[in-house]
Amino acid sequence: MSEIFGKLKSIKGKEITVLLDDDLSTYQIDKYSNNQYPTVAIMLADNRKISPDQRKKIYALLGDIANYTGYSIPQEMPAVMKWKYLTETGAEMFSLSNCSMTTANKYLTWVNHSRLKSEACENRP
């Protein structure tokens, strides 16, 4: 697989036009596609920044987890949970001060899931 970067130029129904950052030869296309139409995937970069509401919810959940689990140093909970998230998911390092909305949403979902898991473990008979 080879990554090719560019900018989306136009969309007409199911057809898109991409302006590539670098030249692309037919040799490269043939090499990777085995002389067939190549399958491509398009990933859109999220240029939106984390919202104050997302940040507030993340820190509120981290505080709830620290209180619920009796974590002795609640100020360390954000760093501990971020480390767990990065190691469990393989995500890249990020900062809650300027990450994308997508990154914030993925982390928020993971933190909430972790909270629910810890509550479920605590409530077992």
Side-chain angles (χ1 to χ4, degrees), residues 39-104:
T39 300
V40 298
I42 298 172
M43 184 170 43
L44 300 175
D46 187 352
N47 293 323
R48 303 169 299 165
K49 296 294 180 201
I50 184 173
S51 71
D53 189 49
Q54 285 176 309
R55 190 177 300 108
K56 181 179 173 183
K57 286 176 183 175
I58 290 168
Y59 281 116
L61 282 172
L62 293 174
D64 289 348
I65 293 169
N67 290 337
Y68 189 81
T69 60
Y71 196 77
S72 60
I73 308 172
Q75 297 83 355
E76 290 182 359
M77 184 57 75
V80 169
M81 292 300 283
K82 187 192 286 188
W83 177 82
K84 282 184 70 172
Y85 172 75
L86 295 173
T87 56
E88 286 181 18
T89 65
E92 291 185 22
M93 179 59 87
F94 63 94
S95 170
L96 288 175
S97 66
N98 63 356
C99 66
S100 72
M101 279 192 155
T102 299
T103 298

Side-chain angles (χ1 to χ4, degrees), residues 21-32:
D21 291 345
D22 298 310
D23 289 336
L24 180 65
S25 72
T26 54
Y27 170 77
Q28 287 174 291
I29 294 171
D30 290 343
K31 177 181 171 185
Y32 291 113

